[in-house]
Amino acid sequence: MKNPFVSLVLAAGLLMAGSAFAQTAPQNDQLYKAFGEKAGLVALMDDFMERLLADPRTGPHFKPANQQRVKEQLVDQLCSLSGGPCVYKGADMKSSHANLEIKKSDFHALVEVLQQSMDAKGIPFRRQNEMLALLAPMNRDIITPPETAAKP
């Protein structure tokens, strides 16, 4: 991989721009409230970034990134996805990850770390799954298809 998952989300990701984003967002703010609203999402992303940096699978991708910017974008993405009042203004997932050669294993490691952070913050399992279901479709735009990945 060349650079960190700069604007992921999942998040992460993190999780999604334009009409595709509008189609997946909840119709109410119950998920947003279950995550502790904006303050809860900020605390979650603070924990998430610490874990991403500490994990040997994800740390090398995030250490060179502007970590504060990544956290802010992830908060906005998760806030918006969960029905909160935030607006994600970052680049779309496909263009922002196009040259990063992200593998499925990279994406799965990030999701695992996100789950650890959600557990640590006491987010109920059902609510975690709701958020992950909103984030999962992003894998199509984040993971580099094997046929386009650089050859060793």
Side-chain angles (χ1 to χ4, degrees):
M1 247 187 252
K2 296 178 180 126
N3 203 331
F5 299 90
V6 180
S7 66
L8 181 60
V9 92
L10 212 146
L14 335 141
L15 328 233
M16 127 168 67
S19 62
F21 175 49
Q23 293 169 358
T24 60
Q27 299 302 313
N28 62 53
D29 64 356
Q30 294 306 303
L31 185 58
Y32 173 68
K33 288 179 179 176
F35 272 73
E37 299 182 346
K38 181 105 180 224
L41 290 170
V42 168
L44 176 65
M45 289 302 103
D46 286 343
D47 182 87
F48 181 52
M49 186 59 68
E50 285 182 32
R51 291 173 190 272
L52 285 174
L53 293 170
D55 190 299
R57 300 168 300 167
T58 56
H61 306 297
F62 285 90
K63 286 179 182 167
N66 178 339
Q67 295 155 17
Q68 185 60 38
R69 176 81 173 131
V70 171
K71 284 192 291 188
E72 290 169 2
Q73 288 186 328
L74 288 170
V75 167
D76 285 346
Q77 283 183 321
L78 293 178
C79 175
S80 187
L81 271 178
S82 64
C86 307
V87 176
Y88 173 71
K89 295 179 183 171
D92 67 275
M93 296 297 98
K94 190 169 193 89
S95 63
S96 64
H97 296 87
N99 298 317
L100 299 179
E101 297 180 24
I102 299 170
K103 299 177 284 196
K104 278 185 184 181
S105 60
D106 299 322
F107 187 83
H108 291 207
L110 183 132
V111 170
E112 184 180 315
V113 173
L114 177 58
Q115 288 173 305
Q116 292 167 0
S117 291
M118 291 188 292
D119 285 342
K121 293 299 177 186
I123 297 168
F125 185 71
R126 183 175 134 247
R127 295 302 191 169
Q128 291 183 31
N129 283 339
E130 288 176 39
M131 183 66 81
L132 292 172
L134 294 171
L135 297 171
M138 290 184 205
N139 75 41
R140 292 185 295 261
D141 293 335
I142 293 170
I143 297 171
T144 304
E147 65 275 3
T148 61
K151 305 288 187 241

